[in-house]
Amino acid sequence: TDAAGNVTLPLTVESAGSVRIVATARNHGRFDSTIPVSPLAAAYVTFESATIDDNVSGGTLGNSDTVVDAGEIIDMTARVKNTGALAASNVTLSLRTSTPGATVLDSVATVGNVPAGSSITAADAFRVAFGASMSDETPVKFTLSARQNGVLLWTDKFTRLVHAPEIEFMVL
């Protein structure tokens, strides 16, 4: 807070709605309020979802169950949403991870134009390899960067769990 007791909270709002603010302090009354949020007067592209292709055609290697498993090479097709008030043009995506055992083999995908309020699936997929020694339920953290006309404007993060068999030995 400043000398007058005011506080500035920098935040990036991804969509219209409201933000609830609650402030408490020892020996003070509780402040609880809702602030209306307007849509951005610009484009704002965010990660919405991803589909997994883990069949054995086109360079992928898996068991065709659309689940990320240890030892697979998958294609991951991203879907993005423009929650802003203006269209985003010439959108391209890049994918990164620093999780040990996961390697992004093809990190670029093309989306094209994304009208305001619309969702678009990328025209091509990212290719990702997962090491065979990855443990069951290993979280792989991805960073998705979106560029408009080659300029980096938006970054989003998401996680996918890697599945692996759990082998138990039993004495009969």
Side-chain angles (χ1 to χ4, degrees), residues 20-106:
R20 183 173 178 202
I21 304 291
V22 178
T24 60
R26 179 179 286 220
N27 297 325
H28 288 79
R30 173 186 169 117
F31 175 82
D32 190 337
S33 183
T34 302
I35 300 169
V37 176
S38 301
L40 295 172
Y44 194 89
V45 175
T46 62
F47 172 78
E48 186 173 70
S49 64
T51 57
I52 305 299
D53 174 359
D54 66 339
N55 59 23
V56 291
S57 65
T60 59
L61 178 62
N63 58 359
S64 300
D65 66 352
T66 69
V67 173
V68 177
D69 296 316
E72 290 188 331
I73 298 173
I74 66 158
D75 281 346
M76 182 185 306
T77 305
R79 184 168 178 82
V80 294
K81 182 170 186 168
N82 180 358
T83 59
L86 298 178
S89 59
N90 194 24
V91 174
T92 56
L93 306 173
S94 61
L95 187 69
R96 302 281 185 262
T97 185
S98 59
T99 302
T103 305
V104 179
L105 304 172
D106 181 352

